[in-house]
Every structure is written in structure tokens, then in C-alpha cells.
Amino acid sequence: MSNYSARVWECVKKALPVAIKTSVWFLKIMLPVSLFVTLLSYFNILPYISSLASPLFTLIGLPGDAALVFVTSIFTNIYTVIALLSTLDFSVRESLIMATMCLISHNFVVETIVLQKTGSSAVWMVILRVFGSFVAAIVLNWLLPEMNGKMMAETVISFGFWETMLHWLESSVMLGLKIVLVISGLMILQRLLEEFGILKILSAMLSPLMRLFGLNPDVAFLWLVGNTVGLAYGSAIMMDYAKMGKLGHQEADLLNHHLAISHSQLEDPLLFAVMGLPAGWLIFPRVVLAMVVVWIRRGIYLLQVRVHLPVKVENISL
């Protein structure tokens, strides 16, 4: 075996056990949550929860049904949000505002846990994402021009209880396979890039952008992962970095603040674009808001140092 092949194989051997352990940890969280949400949806409980928040949405110029979309997004993923939006009589403009809110605040339970595991306060991450969603909605409601038309409609199919459970089981199996494959691939890629010195080149290339965002250039790869395949997968690599001592608490927390607002900037906006929403409005406002949030957080860190306040450090572990 050549030296090159041996180095590649060594990276694979080091990455796979960690990837499997991390994947199992994710599935232990995701599967019970997805089953719980499936039951909430089947028994039509979410509309009762969302009715409490309806007046808040009317205050920012959105229909009362917007509360149902937002509450659903908190418990579920973007696919469910799109399916729900396509059944409601929202304009493109209203759908665009709702889509942006949901892109910031979807899948709360799972993503909050992984954000906490990578060094940030779970309570603060929830507050940040909810508050950020409403800030984005208010600003977009002020900035967006009038947009005619409706979102592309889809056919909604209702299932019986056992059909719903079977559908959940099938989707869970596919989810499990996706998690194992994606996390394994990402961890192997990360070690290969590091082994052959490509991470340093990547960090140097993205250094100006990272500094503009208020982030350390060393987190460039993690930022790329979070903005392409999503927050949960990015956090999986971040946990691995932290365990190896390559990522400090402050760098992880600042990156979490960015990714909490701006993540999965490829697949999710494209899904909404297929439904007739302009992708640019779904991407750039979140990037700008994430940059503002990180610089505010960085300022708080600086203030804490100057007045000698203790900085709370969360445990980073699996």
C-alpha cells in the first residue's frame, strides 16, 4: 500500500468509530422527537397550540394562520412547513416572510440540543432564534415590495393511524441511513482535508469572509458544513473538533450564534424556490442578521472581559 493510500485509510479508520457514535447519539434524540411530532400532527393538536400565538402574528401584518405554520416549524422540518404553506391562502409575500421565520426557527428540539452540546446555552439559543425570527419578519414586512400570486399548491393526502405510523417508520429508516452516511462522509472528509493540509488553505481563502462575519478563520470548514448540509451535521463535526481540543468555547459559541440564524443555505431555500419563492430573499437577510448577531455577541464577550464578569462555559460532550 502506498504512503498516500495508507494516510487515507488511517483517516477513515479514525473517523468511522466517532461518526457511528455521533450518529447513534443523533438518532436517540431525533427518532423519539419525530414520533412525538407525528402523533401531535395526527391528532390535530398543533392548531390548538398555535391559536394562542395568532394575535402576535396579526400585529406584524401576517394572517392568523401564520402562527400554525410557525409552531409547526418549531416541532418539525422544512418539508412539513412547505406542505402546510401550500394548503393555505397566503400570498407570495406572506409566504416569503413565513418561510424566512421558519428557516431560522425550525426543528427546535433537536437543533437546540446539538447547539447546547457544542457549547451554547440552550435557553439563550431558543430565545435568539424566536426573537431573530420576529426581527426578520418585521424587517422583511417593511422592506419587501408587493408580490402578486400564490405559492404553488400541492395535494394533501390524509392517512389512517397505522398508515401514519408505517410512514413514520419508513421515513425514520431513511433518516437513519442519511444521518450515518452524511456524518461519516463529513468526518472522513474533515480528516482527509486536515491530513493533506487543505483545511489551512480553505481557512486562508475564507479568512476575509469569516472576519467580516465576526468569526475565527479556523471555523471556515465548520461554517461551510453548516451552511450547506445543515446545522445538525455541522454541529456533529464541531463536537468532534471540541473533543480533540481544536475548538475553544468562545469560537464554538460565536459560530453557533451564526448558524442558529443562518444555516442550510442550499437545500432549504431551493425547496422554497421550487414552490415559487425568490431564493435571494430567503438567503441574504439571514446572512446579514447572523452577522449582526455574532458581532453583538462578540461585543458582549469583550464587555465581560473588561468588567471582569464570569463567562459561562457549557460542557461540550456526547
Side-chain angles (χ1 to χ4, degrees):
M1 183 180 292
S2 68
N3 181 52
Y4 175 82
S5 299
R7 290 167 70 186
V8 171
W9 178 239
E10 189 64 25
C11 290
V12 173
K13 286 196 300 181
K14 288 180 179 178
L16 282 180
V18 180
I20 296 300
K21 180 181 177 182
T22 306
S23 299
V24 170
W25 178 78
F26 268 110
L27 289 171
K28 285 180 179 179
I29 299 169
M30 290 181 176
L31 293 181
V33 170
S34 67
L35 176 59
F36 176 67
V37 171
T38 298
L39 293 172
L40 283 180
S41 179
Y42 178 79
F43 290 107
N44 210 29
I45 296 173
L46 287 179
Y48 293 100
I49 300 174
S50 63
S51 63
L52 301 174
S54 294
L56 184 59
F57 285 82
T58 57
L59 287 176
I60 59 173
L62 291 171
D65 285 342
L68 175 59
V69 180
F70 187 70
V71 170
T72 301
S73 74
I74 286 176
F75 289 102
T76 61
N77 54 37
I78 291 301
Y79 296 95
T80 307
V81 171
I82 291 174
L84 181 57
L85 271 177
S86 67
T87 67
L88 299 172
D89 190 30
F90 282 14
S91 68
V92 169
R93 191 177 188 277
E94 292 166 342
S95 298
L96 183 55
I97 295 173
M98 282 310 309
T100 302
M101 294 184 73
C102 296
L103 285 169
I104 295 173
S105 289
H106 66 274
N107 203 12
F108 251 25
V109 179
V110 173
E111 293 187 351
T112 298
I113 291 173
V114 298
L115 286 168
Q116 182 183 37
K117 285 291 183 180
T118 52
S120 297
S121 163
V123 174
W124 173 243
M125 286 293 102
V126 170
I127 294 171
L128 172 65
R129 295 179 75 182
V130 172
F131 183 73
S133 296
F134 279 93
V135 169
I138 292 169
V139 173
L140 284 175
N141 195 38
W142 177 57
L143 288 177
L144 284 175
E146 289 299 323
M147 297 177 179
N148 297 322
K150 304 289 183 180
M151 281 187 67
M152 187 186 304
E154 289 186 344
T155 303
V156 179
I157 302 174
S158 298
F159 295 107
F161 179 77
W162 293 114
E163 289 175 309
T164 300
M165 292 298 98
L166 179 61
H167 182 265
W168 171 81
L169 181 61
E170 291 173 349
S171 63
S172 297
V173 171
M174 295 304 296
L175 173 66
L177 290 174
K178 179 183 177 182
I179 286 173
V180 172
L181 291 174
V182 172
I183 290 180
S184 298
L186 287 173
M187 289 193 169
I188 291 171
L189 176 63
Q190 175 259 317
R191 279 172 168 75
L192 288 172
L193 293 176
E194 189 174 63
E195 175 68 23
F196 294 100
I198 301 174
L199 273 185
K200 292 182 179 179
I201 299 173
L202 183 64
S203 296
M205 290 174 59
L206 292 175
S207 178
L209 184 62
M210 294 298 100
R211 294 193 187 281
L212 176 66
F213 289 157
L215 301 172
N216 190 309
D218 291 340
V219 304
F221 178 69
L222 299 172
W223 178 86
L224 274 178
V225 171
N227 276 275
T228 51
V229 297
L231 175 58
Y233 298 117
S235 296
I237 305 298
M238 202 186 303
M239 285 188 285
D240 188 38
Y241 264 50
K243 289 183 69 176
M244 294 188 293
K246 296 179 180 179
L247 185 66
H249 167 260
Q250 183 170 322
E251 288 77 14
D253 187 47
L254 289 171
L255 181 59
N256 278 341
H257 277 69
H258 182 100
L259 293 179
I261 302 295
S262 173
H263 60 273
S264 193
Q265 291 281 25
L266 287 180
E267 181 184 8
D268 291 351
L270 287 176
L271 289 171
F272 281 112
V274 171
M275 301 301 295
L277 300 184
W281 281 106
L282 296 169
I283 295 173
F284 296 111
R286 288 190 293 143
V287 172
V288 173
L289 181 58
M291 181 171 63
V292 171
V293 164
V294 171
W295 279 110
I296 291 173
R297 180 57 176 153
R298 184 173 284 279
I300 292 172
Y301 272 125
L302 181 61
L303 181 63
Q304 288 174 324
V305 171
R306 287 186 174 179
V307 299
H308 307 292
L309 291 175
V311 178
K312 184 179 179 181
V313 178
E314 302 283 339
N315 292 325
I316 303 177
S317 61
L318 286 180

